[in-house]
Amino acid sequence: MQQRVAIQGIKGSFHYQAAQEYFGSEIAIVECNSFDKVAQSLLKNDADLAIMAIENSIAGSILPNYALIDRLNLKIIGEHYIDIQQHLMALPGQDINQLKEVHSHPMALLQCKQFFEDYPQIKLVEDTDTASTAERIHRLQLSGIGAIGSKSAAELYQLNIVRHSIQTMKVNATRFVVLTAKNEEIDRNQANKASLKFQVHHKRGSLATILNVISDCRINMTKIQSLPVIETPWKYAFFVDIVFENYEDFEKAHKLLSIMAEDFKVLGIYKNTLK
């Protein structure tokens, strides 16, 4: 039986690319039009696993996704990084001078805004998703309309890439996390990274004390992100990624942090894939 993997967007999206690279091509893709529906597909058992963008090297963290994973008690069991290359595509036979409009997701348009300064005749139009725009151009055979998206979108929807890699920042990576709603057994020999969530007391040096514990346990913190606690104004939850060489060091830190920090939670323990 094929693994069912939920993604935000449709085939040809960057989530689709991440799923294909991480799991391979022999999977059943569950297309969802929002991150909330990705999470719900796991809770309703419509999907076995999900892959979800969590941060971008240019735009930073996707804060609502941190909150979603925490609130619904989803588990992170893996991660995958992809290099985001934004390509301008249109129907075969068209060149850039024939395009009157280019449609894509607002983030893709923003990442490519500088490129279009040389083409003032092209109107930029916000759309819901990069791949869905490409699909619509193919399905309706829309001439004079371009899309911005992945190479796989161009291939799937039989569009011609008019210009390659038009994003302003040529180094543009997105980190995705692999999610499940079930309790998975942890491979202690492979796991060397964890994602944590906690709050600290309103006392001077509370956060520094927590960070010192992490350091004293020979653990390296690779990311810290704060998020407001909606129910308590001016209080923040911290989402932290850590990497470790020995699982025993993580277990020691886990015991100490569960005592010292408020609302301490392990969001996931998995293998670090960043080289």
Side-chain angles (χ1 to χ4, degrees):
M1 185 176 178
Q2 284 182 308
Q3 265 191 329
R4 301 168 300 165
V5 179
I7 64 168
Q8 189 275 321
I10 66 172
K11 292 179 180 178
S13 67
F14 288 108
H15 276 81
Y16 175 74
Q17 178 183 333
Q20 293 272 297
E21 289 180 4
Y22 187 87
F23 294 104
S25 59
E26 299 301 316
I27 55 173
I29 294 293
V30 179
E31 298 175 345
C32 304
N33 61 14
S34 71
F35 288 120
D36 282 332
K37 290 187 178 179
V38 169
Q40 289 300 323
S41 72
L42 292 175
L43 297 176
K44 294 177 180 178
N45 199 33
D46 293 330
D48 305 305
L49 298 165
I51 196 159
M52 180 182 290
I54 200 70
E55 61 180 311
N56 177 265
S57 60
I58 297 172
S61 299
I62 305 174
L63 296 180
N65 287 356
Y66 276 100
L68 189 63
I69 292 167
D70 176 35
R71 178 168 56 85
L72 298 179
N73 293 313
L74 302 179
K75 301 290 188 299
I76 301 173
I77 60 171
E79 65 177 3
H80 185 65
Y81 294 79
I82 67 170
D83 179 31
I84 302 294
Q85 296 294 313
Q86 302 282 14
H87 306 297
L88 176 61
M89 59 194 72
L91 290 175
Q94 296 202 305
D95 63 38
I96 195 166
N97 296 314
Q98 294 172 287
L99 299 182
K100 298 176 182 177
E101 296 180 359
V102 168
H103 298 210
S104 197
H105 187 276
M107 184 59 70
L109 294 175
L110 184 63
Q111 291 174 354
C112 304
K113 185 177 180 181
Q114 187 173 320
F115 172 84
F116 289 103
E117 290 177 358
D118 293 332
Y119 301 94
Q121 77 278 11
I122 296 178
K123 180 182 178 182
L124 302 181
V125 180
E126 293 186 357
D127 212 326
T128 55
D129 182 67
T130 56
S132 62
T133 303
E135 185 276 335
R136 187 169 63 254
I137 290 172
H138 167 70
R139 175 167 45 85
L140 300 178
Q141 291 294 290
L142 299 175
S143 61
I145 307 293
I148 300 172
S150 69
K151 182 180 178 182
S152 64
E155 293 171 348
L156 278 168
Y157 303 116
Q158 301 171 32
L159 299 181
N160 179 51
I161 294 181
V162 179
R163 292 288 189 278
H164 291 263
S165 302
I166 64 170
Q167 71 277 3
T168 303
M169 302 294 291
K170 299 308 177 186
V171 178
N172 180 12
T174 294
R175 176 186 175 221
F176 295 79
V177 289
V178 180
L179 301 170
T180 181
K182 302 172 184 176
N183 289 318
E184 297 277 332
E185 186 175 343
I186 298 165
D187 185 349
R188 295 166 61 105
N189 296 320
Q190 291 291 322
N192 61 353
K193 186 171 184 177
S195 294
L196 315 175
K197 177 246 181 170
F198 57 83
Q199 298 176 31
V200 295
H201 300 284
H202 274 302
K203 295 179 181 178
R204 185 176 62 187
S206 294
L207 179 58
T209 300
I210 296 294
L211 300 183
N212 284 335
V213 168
I214 293 173
S215 177
D216 291 343
C217 290
R218 297 186 296 181
I219 289 174
N220 181 35
M221 184 179 67
T222 59
K223 180 179 179 61
I224 182 168
Q225 177 69 56
S226 64
L227 193 66
V229 179
I230 303 301
E231 302 83 6
T232 310
W234 311 116
K235 191 164 189 178
Y236 292 85
F238 294 91
F239 293 85
V240 173
D241 287 341
I242 59 173
V243 293
F244 46 88
E245 293 185 6
N246 298 308
Y247 196 85
E248 292 75 14
D249 292 334
F250 168 71
E251 287 183 314
K252 180 181 177 181
H254 184 294
K255 289 178 182 178
L256 292 171
L257 294 176
S258 61
I259 296 170
M260 299 175 64
E262 295 181 53
D263 195 26
F264 178 77
K265 181 191 287 187
V266 178
L267 301 177
I269 306 170
Y270 48 98
K271 184 178 180 180
N272 178 32
T273 62
L274 186 62
K275 305 301 182 184

